[in-house]
Amino acid sequence: MSIVPPGSLISYLQKGLQYKELETHCAEDGNDIICDVPFTLTTNHVCKRIEKKDPEANDAMVDAGSPIDIPQDQVTILEGHTSEVFICAWNPVNSLLASGSGDSTARIWSIPPSSSGVAAAQIASVNPMILKHFNKEQENSKDVTTLDWNGTGTLLATGSYDGLARIWTDRGELKNTLAKHKGPIFSLKWNKKGDCLLSGSVDKTAIVWDAATGEVKQQFEFHRAPTLDVDWRNNTSFATCSTDNMIYVCELGKNKPIKGFAGHSDEVNAIKWDPQGNLLASCSDDATSKIWKIDQDKCVYDFREHTKEIYTIKWSPTGPGSNNPNQKLVLASASFDASIKIWDVEVGAKLFTLTKHCDPVYSVAFSPSGEFLASGSFDRCLHIWSVKDGSLVRTYKGNGGIFEVCWNNTGDKVAACYSNNTVCVIDARK
């Protein structure tokens, strides 16, 4: 069992300091505060509270106007986890919601489809399925770090800090334990066919598993540092990214990468293929997001308008190969600079900058129709934006930082998981 490398631990501590500095220099209305006083944890920080004007006010910046606050009776708060909830995902075919936590469990909640608020929370919290991941040999390695439903919604895969991947039925029964990684698993994805599971680990490798037998189909050992994210291109090929700044495209059955992308100058946090599998988006601690094509060595577009690390990116479910083929394909990037940017990938230009968060934005998710974008930040706010004009449509402020947001398959509910051990489900219909 390998541990997180010292360099990565330093990186995590640096990011913690950045969070604190962001919080200190954020005014109540969401604007940044200009301050020339050096930031330190050793003394009380006092700065001149001079609000700065947004430098991009005339550059596709959106005035959000007066968004509608989501009332409490449209929020279903799910309680039961005893530690931070890092990840959540809706079942693709029904109203089951899975969540993964630092308490060594994942939970499957049955969310009432037509109600919300306290009544819905009481129903959902009565008897959630509790998927226990406790490993007696590694008592301190209990975080459930990633999870993913297969396409038919019959199986849930979970990855944990103990290095084990597990496959569960939608009834919460453990079907298989996949043991080969020698470090925490940070990413786990089913292929579209549902016969293979792909995992990426701190042990620097990615593994393709046979979903039926739990056996290793192939282990890929190309990176020189922890693998942070993996994403299928089709049923047999996929991409991986790492803290070694590299991206590799691999194919089942081949012993070498079919493509390597070098261009980021710092660790690559996330990668995502577009709906057709033609364009690969990546984002990095170098504050850039890039678009790649398999037949080109250099990136097609290099988006450099964020000012701090970019933690996540998401493609809209639109354009060729999607369920909304007549709508324009766009990319959203979310950063530690507290902003979200939406990019037109046909011409490589920024459409909007969304700026109402005042802490790092950890997660964004498009609605199934592609009309809306949900975002979650450590400022405790869940925002829902219009993709058409970039306006802020609705907002909800919870009681903890948000790690993940996701829409259900019908587009009428948004789930968010929080640092205060809860999961909230927002009714997006009203």
Side-chain angles (χ1 to χ4, degrees), residues 72-107:
Q72 201 64 40
D73 63 2
Q74 295 176 22
V75 181
T76 303
I77 300 176
L78 305 175
E79 298 179 326
H81 283 297
T82 58
S83 186
E84 302 101 324
V85 187
F86 299 120
I87 190 82
C88 57
W90 288 95
N91 186 294
V93 299
N94 56 41
S95 60
L96 295 178
L97 176 66
S99 59
S101 168
D103 64 7
S104 82
T105 74
R107 294 179 182 235

Side-chain angles (χ1 to χ4, degrees), residues 20-173:
K20 185 64 178 177
E21 185 174 3
L22 273 170
E23 183 179 29
T24 302
H25 295 104
C26 180
E28 292 184 359
D29 62 0
N31 287 318
D32 291 338
I33 300 169
I34 297 175
C35 175
D36 294 328
V37 181
F39 182 79
T40 175
L41 294 177
T42 58
T43 60
N44 290 331
H45 184 79
V46 179
C47 61
K48 296 180 180 179
R49 300 188 66 81
I50 304 174
E51 296 178 6
K52 69 178 183 180
K53 293 182 178 180
D54 203 304
E56 297 185 6
N58 297 316
D59 181 21
M61 188 68 68
V62 175
D63 181 1
S66 300
I68 300 173
D69 287 343
I70 297 170
Q72 201 64 40
D73 63 2
Q74 295 176 22
V75 181
T76 303
I77 300 176
L78 305 175
E79 298 179 326
H81 283 297
T82 58
S83 186
E84 302 101 324
V85 187
F86 299 120
I87 190 82
C88 57
W90 288 95
N91 186 294
V93 299
N94 56 41
S95 60
L96 295 178
L97 176 66
S99 59
S101 168
D103 64 7
S104 82
T105 74
R107 294 179 182 235
I108 300 177
W109 314 82
S110 182
I111 308 300
S114 58
S115 62
S116 57
V118 175
Q122 290 175 341
I123 295 171
S125 300
V126 167
N127 193 26
M129 291 168 269
I130 301 175
L131 286 48
K132 296 182 179 180
H133 290 66
F134 189 73
N135 187 335
K136 291 183 179 180
E137 296 179 359
Q138 300 167 24
E139 294 188 8
N140 296 322
S141 300
K142 59 184 183 178
D143 295 2
V144 178
T145 50
T146 182
L147 49 79
D148 192 39
W149 290 97
N150 68 348
T152 58
T154 57
L155 297 173
L156 177 70
T158 61
S160 176
Y161 212 85
D162 63 8
L164 298 177
R166 297 168 173 88
I167 298 176
W168 313 78
T169 70
D170 57 356
R171 299 177 302 279
E173 300 162 349

Side-chain angles (χ1 to χ4, degrees), residues 66 78 89 144 183 220 222-223 226 254 323 406 421:
S66 300
L78 305 175
V144 178
F220 298 81
F222 303 139
H223 287 293
K254 295 186 177 180
N323 291 329
C406 58
N421 311 347

Side-chain angles (χ1 to χ4, degrees), residues 64 66-70 371-373 383-387 389-395 428 430:
S66 300
I68 300 173
D69 287 343
I70 297 170
E371 296 179 79
F372 301 103
L373 180 75
H383 292 326
I384 298 177
W385 313 81
S386 166
V387 176
D389 60 15
S391 61
L392 181 56
V393 181
R394 307 190 75 192
T395 186
K430 303 173 182 179

